[in-house]
Amino acid sequence: DVVLPYLVRDESEVQIFADLAKESGATFYEILLFATRDEAVGRLLERGRWGEEGSKILTENDIPTMKSLYDLMMSETDKRSNTIKVDVEKGDISGTYQRLLEVVDA
C-alpha cells in the first residue's frame, strides 16, 4: 500500500500516479480529506507552518495564498469525477481514519 499526501494543483499530475498504479497492478484511489476553506485555513494557521518542522512559519499575511491554493485544489479536484471526498472533523482522527477505511474497503 502506498499513500501520497499531495496538494493537487494540476490534473495531469494525478494521471501520472494513476498510470503508475495501473502499471503495478494496484488499485488507485484519489481521496480528498475535505474541510471547508475557512476550516482549512484556520487549521493551517493553528499548525503554524506550511508543512513539516522547519518549514516556513505562517502568518496572517499568508491567508490570501492559502485561500488561493485551496481554491485551485478544489477546482482541479472538481474536474475529476472519481475523487472521493471524506469529510473531516477537527480532532476526530479515529473517525476520519474509519471513514477512509470504509472508502478503501468498499
Side-chain angles (χ1 to χ4, degrees):
D1 297 334
V2 176
V3 176
L4 300 171
Y6 194 72
L7 173 65
V8 177
R9 292 182 283 187
D10 181 343
E11 164 178 27
S12 65
E13 294 172 343
V14 175
Q15 193 59 48
I16 293 168
F17 299 132
D19 290 344
L20 284 170
K22 185 176 181 179
E23 289 171 19
S24 302
T27 304
F28 177 78
Y29 297 94
E30 183 180 354
I31 301 169
L32 172 65
L33 299 179
F34 178 77
T36 66
R37 184 171 76 168
D38 288 342
E39 289 173 308
V41 168
R43 290 180 195 180
L44 271 171
L45 284 172
E46 188 176 302
R47 184 172 72 191
R49 297 185 179 278
W50 278 109
E52 62 278 341
E53 192 68 31
S55 63
K56 181 180 175 270
I57 294 175
L58 293 168
T59 70
E60 290 195 10
N61 292 334
D62 295 305
I63 291 175
T65 300
M66 288 186 259
K67 288 181 176 181
S68 177
L69 284 170
Y70 181 95
D71 292 344
L72 177 59
M73 176 190 69
M74 292 308 299
S75 173
E76 290 299 314
T77 299
D78 289 344
K79 293 177 183 177
R80 295 180 309 284
S81 62
N82 291 332
T83 302
I84 301 163
K85 291 182 182 176
V86 173
D87 291 324
V88 297
E89 289 182 38
K90 183 178 177 183
D92 186 19
I93 296 168
S94 61
T96 299
Y97 183 64
Q98 185 60 43
R99 288 188 294 279
L100 178 66
L101 290 179
E102 289 169 2
V103 167
V104 175
D105 289 339

